Amino acid sequence: MIVPLIQGMLAFAGASLMFAWSRIYRGGEKPGTSPAVIGIGAVINFFDTLGIGSFAPTTALIKFFKLTGDENIPGTLNVGHALPTITQALIFIAIVKVDIELLLACIGASVVGALLGAGVVSRLPVRAIRLGMGGALLVAAALFIARNLELIPGGGDALALPATLFVVAVLLHFAFGALMTLGIGLYAPSLISLSMLGMDPRAAFPIMMGACAFLMPAASLRFIKARRFDPRLALGLAIGGVPAVFVAAFIVKEMPLDILRWLVSAVVLIAAGMLLSSGLKSAPAIVKET
């Protein structure tokens, strides 16, 4: 009964987003995009469904090809990737088994973290957070790889957590939700933390996708109302992204657990590299003494 209720809430969020989005075309503006942007949406959301994340690679492509102004990037990311993310959550909540109480608690903690933690996190130095998170993910990836190689003992096939680890997972997702307000993706930290706590990596997918699927529509509605997004880019990302999610979801569902564990390691290493790169690039310029 709970799963259909969650899916119904996600469907309502998606419908609300599409209704708000359609209103910008009522003044005579025609919706449009390009095959290239649709292709970008398909590729990015295919790998996003595997846990890579969508914001960082999309931002890189937008800036490299100069597809829109920097002021439109945050809104375009949220609006364009919201529907594919909702699709991910609808699929994985239905096909992947996970403790429903943990699912609800982590999703709720992420949403609360984004709402309440934003004020605190926004006052912290972004560069330090990115470097710290990047370093932490590198260490976590190294430990996870050591587990994969059976160099250290560890679990990795549970669908639920004991009470103490349950609380740890919820608190971590509160922090991950708050960090999303700084543009630090939730997927990689959620995926590696739940895996390190002993869960089957597949069980992390509905949790991390459910959290983002509830967070992104609310942000998207604000960007749409303010018209701080690029409609052509966002439309292409959504059109290309939704079908790609279905293809990637089948791959994850059928992937053997040992291969999936190595995929998690690769995902976290990529995310760590992106965070460290962003942190280093945002370093203030050093003025040489003359």
Side-chain angles (χ1 to χ4, degrees), residues 173-191:
H173 280 79
F174 176 86
F176 299 155
L179 289 171
M180 279 196 69
T181 62
L182 292 180
I184 296 176
L186 182 143
Y187 275 21
S190 175
L191 188 56

Side-chain angles (χ1 to χ4, degrees), residues 96-99 102 154-162 165 194-195 197-204 207 257 261:
V96 176
K97 292 182 179 180
V98 64
D99 177 40
L102 181 64
D157 57 3
L159 300 179
L161 293 174
L165 296 182
L194 291 173
S195 299
L197 291 175
M199 293 192 69
D200 182 332
R202 275 184 290 256
I207 292 175
L257 185 57
R261 285 173 176 157

Side-chain angles (χ1 to χ4, degrees), residues 130-153:
R130 286 175 175 163
L131 291 174
M133 282 290 295
L137 286 177
L138 277 180
V139 173
L143 292 173
F144 200 62
I145 290 171
R147 279 188 175 186
N148 294 345
L149 296 173
E150 298 183 352
L151 299 177
I152 60 174

Side-chain angles (χ1 to χ4, degrees), residues 76-260:
T76 301
L77 295 175
N78 277 276
V79 177
H81 289 305
L83 291 177
T85 302
I86 290 173
T87 304
Q88 292 174 19
L90 287 169
I91 294 172
F92 278 89
I93 288 174
I95 68 176
V96 176
K97 292 182 179 180
V98 64
D99 177 40
I100 194 66
E101 293 180 357
L102 181 64
L103 174 68
L104 292 174
C106 287
I107 290 176
S110 300
V111 173
V112 173
L115 295 175
L116 300 183
V120 176
V121 172
S122 62
R123 292 194 292 269
L124 300 176
V126 177
R127 176 172 177 259
I129 291 176
R130 286 175 175 163
L131 291 174
M133 282 290 295
L137 286 177
L138 277 180
V139 173
L143 292 173
F144 200 62
I145 290 171
R147 279 188 175 186
N148 294 345
L149 296 173
E150 298 183 352
L151 299 177
I152 60 174
D157 57 3
L159 300 179
L161 293 174
T164 302
L165 296 182
F166 184 102
V167 173
V168 171
V170 172
L171 292 176
L172 285 173
H173 280 79
F174 176 86
F176 299 155
L179 289 171
M180 279 196 69
T181 62
L182 292 180
I184 296 176
L186 182 143
Y187 275 21
S190 175
L191 188 56
I192 194 67
S193 62
L194 291 173
S195 299
M196 292 292 291
L197 291 175
M199 293 192 69
D200 182 332
R202 275 184 290 256
F205 280 75
I207 292 175
M208 66 188 191
M209 291 169 176
C212 291
F214 277 106
L215 286 171
M216 290 174 66
S220 297
L221 291 175
R222 293 197 296 269
F223 285 117
I224 290 172
K225 183 177 181 180
R227 290 299 299 268
R228 292 299 298 271
F229 76 109
D230 188 313
R232 292 177 60 84
L233 284 182
L235 185 61
L237 294 175
I239 292 174
V242 172
V245 168
F246 284 93
V247 177
F250 177 78
I251 292 175
V252 173
K253 180 177 182 292
E254 298 298 326
M255 188 178 296
L257 185 57
D258 57 341
I259 296 178
L260 186 59

